[in-house]
Amino acid sequence: MVVSKYLQMAVDAAKKGQATWTNPQVGAVIVKDQQVLAVGYHHQFGHRHAEIDALAQLADISQAKGATMYVTLEPCSHYGKTPPCAKRLTEVGITRVVIGLLDPNPLVSGKGVAILKAHGIQVEVLGESLGLNVAYRFFYQHQRPLVTLKYAMSLDGKINSAQKERTLLTQPAAQQDVQQLRHRQQVILVGEHTLSIDNPRLTVRTNPMVFPPIRAALVWHIDDVDRQSYLFDQSAPTWFFSATASSTKLPPNIQVFVNPHWTPKTMVQKLADEGVQSLLVEGGSHLQADFIAAELVDDLVIYVAPIVLGGTGLPAVIGQPLTARTGFEKPTVSMLGSDIRIQTRRV
């Protein structure tokens, strides 16, 4: 469909919201007599929503009377960290609201529109996501986080050399792209082997975040994990999926979930229970295989470096056999310096 210039302005504004955490990115534009009076967006989790932000940009609130608001997502209808936006729009005299998409959150879905219509406001719902809030929409559609699996490999399909040490495969352009990929996630997960060999930071280092991704690791005994590993620093929250509880006091940013039989399915369910909408599985090879075998990989991002490791290096996605062939869509392939980036989504 052709998006009106006003709704496109709302989309562009929504994308500025880089700290909305589990809230959606939303933009709003107020128009009257074909003139744009105000543009707003949801800046940060817990702060005012896009509709209220747009109203705050008006020179005088009386300008809202008789105006049209273009908003990318249905105005909320409930009291949360902020009052309901739909109710506020009825109070200031907005007479028409054009909405990109109904909010998939059952707390809101359809209820915001109902409030607007009950007060005589003309409502038009386009039913278009406008390319926003992919993980947010997936979460409420499937009741679990959107899972992305990412790994880097050599031309011969290996993610690590035979030696028990970290093997750096890709160049700076691909490494920068990984940082952007991490920036869009709420949890980043690795397995115990990757944790012990690579000692990863699992942080977004190129663009500091108000709400950094939660770092997570699947381990057997939490008390066997080296307390000097980066996951124990204070740079971000860390969750451990462990078969046993800790017998010692842990730093305040550490949380341990205990289950003697963690599987991709039970971990994803736990994350869903915690309200997590997006998960990035970074490694290692056996954890990758487990998630694919469980049919819990929605997006796949692979970086291929123009090198050959040979020998007995560790292959990607090895371990868990598949009961059926897993199909993915036609991939998008691009070059990042000398490295190849492949991205695809499960059919």
Side-chain angles (χ1 to χ4, degrees):
M1 66 168 293
V2 178
V3 177
S4 74
K5 64 178 181 180
Y6 302 126
L7 197 54
Q8 186 58 55
M9 289 177 65
V11 171
D12 294 340
K15 292 178 179 178
K16 296 179 182 179
Q18 295 295 313
T20 59
W21 191 227
T22 55
N23 281 357
Q25 291 179 310
V26 183
V29 174
I30 300 173
V31 179
K32 192 174 184 179
D33 298 327
Q34 298 185 349
Q35 290 188 342
V36 175
L37 301 182
V39 178
Y41 66 97
H42 182 37
H43 291 240
Q44 184 174 316
F45 179 80
H47 291 200
R48 63 191 181 196
H49 290 182
E51 301 92 328
I52 308 305
D53 189 55
L55 291 173
Q57 310 309 316
L58 294 172
D60 191 292
I61 195 62
S62 64
Q63 291 180 299
K65 189 172 183 179
T68 294
M69 175 173 282
Y70 292 81
V71 61
T72 58
L73 193 68
E74 178 182 10
C76 67
S77 56
H78 65 291
Y79 285 88
K81 292 185 178 296
T82 60
C85 296
K87 183 174 182 293
R88 181 58 177 159
L89 297 186
T90 68
E91 295 170 346
V92 298
I94 293 286
T95 56
R96 178 171 175 254
V97 178
V98 179
I99 299 169
L101 188 70
L102 290 180
D103 195 326
N105 185 341
L107 284 175
V108 180
S109 190
K111 299 179 180 69
V113 168
I115 290 174
L116 298 175
K117 288 183 175 180
H119 287 81
I121 295 177
Q122 180 186 349
V123 179
E124 181 181 353
V125 180
L126 303 180
E128 293 288 334
S129 67
L130 307 168
L132 297 169
N133 306 308
V134 174
Y136 177 83
R137 290 183 283 111
F138 184 96
F139 177 81
Y140 286 108
Q141 181 180 357
H142 299 278
Q143 289 77 54
R144 69 166 178 83
L146 176 73
V147 179
T148 301
L149 174 62
K150 160 259 165 183
Y151 57 87
M153 68 179 187
S154 61
L155 289 173
D156 55 339
K158 295 180 174 62
I159 63 173
N160 225 24
S161 64
Q163 289 75 28
K164 290 187 176 182
E165 60 184 16
R166 184 186 180 195
T167 304
L168 187 61
L169 297 172
T170 56
Q171 298 301 308
Q175 295 165 21
Q176 172 75 18
D177 192 76
V178 170
Q179 294 297 312
Q180 294 302 313
L181 181 62
R182 286 180 175 180
H183 191 277
R184 298 191 292 272
Q185 312 300 320
Q186 291 171 0
V187 172
I188 304 172
L189 174 68
V190 295
E192 190 162 21
H193 183 76
T194 299
L195 177 60
S196 61
I197 299 299
D198 292 358
N199 188 19
R201 297 177 185 269
L202 302 185
T203 53
V204 179
R205 295 184 288 279
T206 57
N207 187 10
M209 301 174 65
V210 177
F211 300 99
I214 296 165
R215 306 171 297 183
L218 173 63
V219 300
W220 184 242
H221 297 297
I222 179 63
D223 285 342
D224 290 343
V225 178
D226 185 357
R227 293 298 195 270
Q228 299 304 310
S229 71
Y230 286 122
L231 294 197
F232 281 88
D233 66 26
Q234 300 293 308
S235 60
T238 300
W239 290 353
F240 284 101
F241 295 92
S242 175
T244 58
S246 177
S247 61
T248 61
K249 185 177 181 179
L250 297 170
N253 66 315
I254 304 294
Q255 188 168 357
V256 180
F257 301 122
V258 179
N259 184 333
H261 307 290
W262 283 116
T263 66
K265 185 176 180 179
T266 57
M267 285 189 288
V268 165
Q269 182 58 57
K270 180 60 179 176
L271 293 175
D273 294 342
E274 295 292 327
V276 172
Q277 298 167 7
S278 57
L279 167 66
L280 177 62
V281 179
E282 288 212 358
S285 183
H286 291 279
L287 191 62
Q288 296 162 3
D290 288 345
F291 267 84
I292 289 180
E295 298 185 343
L296 284 172
V297 174
D298 305 298
D299 285 339
L300 185 60
V301 180
I302 304 169
Y303 301 91
V304 183
I307 59 175
V308 173
L309 292 178
T312 58
L314 181 63
V317 194
I318 187 171
Q320 183 75 353
L322 301 181
T323 57
R325 181 176 177 176
T326 301
F328 288 84
E329 296 177 352
K330 181 180 179 180
T332 300
V333 181
S334 57
M335 296 299 301
L336 294 172
S338 60
D339 299 315
I340 303 169
R341 184 185 193 273
I342 302 170
Q343 181 167 5
T344 182
R345 172 159 288 192
R346 189 159 67 95
V347 175

